[in-house]
């Protein structure tokens, strides 16, 4: 069992599309186990690039939620949303953006094509909280954050807070990796 530090907002690895996985290695299995350990108690979903690994892998465990207590932990590799339906607004947060929560509109139901941990191709229909977490994590794997879905005006209000997050000037119960500081151009 090992936990991994979470990469905070501002890190490049969170802004890029993660790479497709063609085979699952022992190292990937370990990564997946560590991802579950890392989010336990703090979050219900985690994308590999949030722990600095740019691979199309995400994990979800929503069984702490009473309504979803029978839902098994899920490992999703190379996900692709092939159908969506409806729309609902729900407040989201993110381990990479601590202390910020915002309401986000997303499709209510989705159909997903993905590979399981044995690289077997699977299809999943999800709604409610499960569909919500899946979309949030799939966004991560495409370099998109939940705050990219809110209005520009709202984002402007969050700007100073986001700068603090990127510098790691926040308190978290879990280990984090701040974004590298931007070097000022040298004066001639
Ligand atoms: Ni997130």
């Amino acid at each position: 069992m090992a936990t991994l530090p979470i990469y905070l907002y501002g890190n490049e690895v969170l802004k890029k599309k993660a790479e497709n996985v063609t085979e699952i290695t022992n190292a990937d299995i370990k990564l997946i186990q560590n991802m579950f350990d890392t989010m336990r108690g703090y979050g219900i979903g985690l994308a590999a690039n949030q722990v600095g690994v740019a691979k199309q892998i995400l994990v979800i465990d929503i069984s702490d939620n009473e309504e979803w207590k029978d839902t098994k932990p899920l490992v999703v590799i190379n996900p692709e949303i092939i159908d969506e339906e409806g729309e609902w607004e729900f407040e989201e947060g993110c381990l990479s953006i601590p202390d910020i929560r915002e309401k986000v509109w997303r499709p209510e139901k989705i159909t997903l094509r993905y590979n399981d941990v044995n690289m077997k191709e699977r299809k999943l229909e999800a709604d409610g909280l499960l569909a919500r977490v899946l979309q949030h994590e799939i966004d991560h794997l495409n370099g998109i954050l939940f705050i990219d879905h809110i209005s520009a005006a709202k984002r402007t209000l969050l700007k100073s807070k986001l700068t603090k997050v990127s510098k790691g000037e926040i308190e978290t119960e879990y280990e984090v990796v701040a974004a590298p500081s931007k070097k000022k151009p040298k004066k001639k």
Side-chain angles (χ1 to χ4, degrees):
M1 254 184 64
T3 58
L4 305 165
I6 301 273
Y7 281 63
L8 293 174
Y9 169 82
N11 278 291
E12 282 301 314
V13 71
L14 295 176
K15 297 178 197 169
K16 286 182 193 156
K17 188 174 166 72
E19 294 198 8
N20 247 53
V21 175
T22 51
E23 60 163 345
I24 288 290
T25 62
N26 286 338
D28 293 325
I29 297 289
K30 198 163 187 189
L31 168 72
I32 289 164
Q33 286 167 345
N34 290 342
M35 284 170 69
F36 277 114
D37 288 342
T38 300
M39 73 166 179
R40 191 164 297 125
Y42 304 119
I44 54 178
L46 190 66
N49 51 349
Q50 290 186 272
V51 292
V53 180
K55 286 185 177 181
Q56 293 274 337
I57 301 173
L58 66 88
V59 300
I60 286 174
D61 187 352
I62 56 172
S63 61
D64 275 351
N65 184 297
E66 183 60 26
E67 203 187 320
W68 296 86
K69 64 179 192 302
D70 298 325
T71 312
K72 290 205 166 64
L74 194 61
V75 179
V76 174
I77 297 163
N78 302 330
E80 191 191 345
I81 293 170
I82 54 172
D83 200 12
E84 51 184 53
E85 201 186 309
E87 218 186 4
W88 70 305
E89 197 182 31
F90 186 72
E91 197 181 70
E92 296 186 23
C94 180
L95 291 176
S96 295
I97 318 173
D99 297 340
I100 293 178
R101 300 190 69 84
E102 290 290 336
K103 284 183 177 170
V104 178
W105 284 98
R106 291 191 193 267
E108 189 183 358
K109 273 186 188 176
I110 57 166
T111 306
L112 190 71
R113 190 159 53 200
Y114 69 101
N115 295 111
D116 68 13
V117 78
N118 300 309
M119 289 305 284
K120 192 180 164 201
E121 192 169 312
R122 289 186 179 270
K123 224 171 168 185
L124 174 71
E125 279 182 36
D127 62 6
L129 184 64
L130 183 58
R132 175 63 58 158
V133 186
L134 278 165
Q135 289 174 86
H136 177 114
E137 303 310 332
I138 292 168
D139 264 1
H140 271 302
L141 297 180
N142 288 311
I144 299 165
L145 300 170
F146 79 93
I147 49 167
D148 295 327
H149 291 283
I150 64 175
S151 68
K154 266 192 182 167
R155 224 169 23 243
T156 304
L157 291 174
L158 293 174
K159 210 179 165 195
S160 64
K161 217 171 171 184
L162 285 170
T163 302
K164 279 192 171 172
V165 168
S166 69
K167 289 178 180 169
E169 293 170 2
I170 30 109
E171 278 195 31
T172 53
E173 291 176 54
Y174 49 89
E175 217 186 314
V176 294
V177 178
S181 61
K182 285 181 191 126
K183 283 183 189 144
K184 284 176 191 161
K186 277 181 190 164
K187 279 178 192 167
K188 277 185 183 169

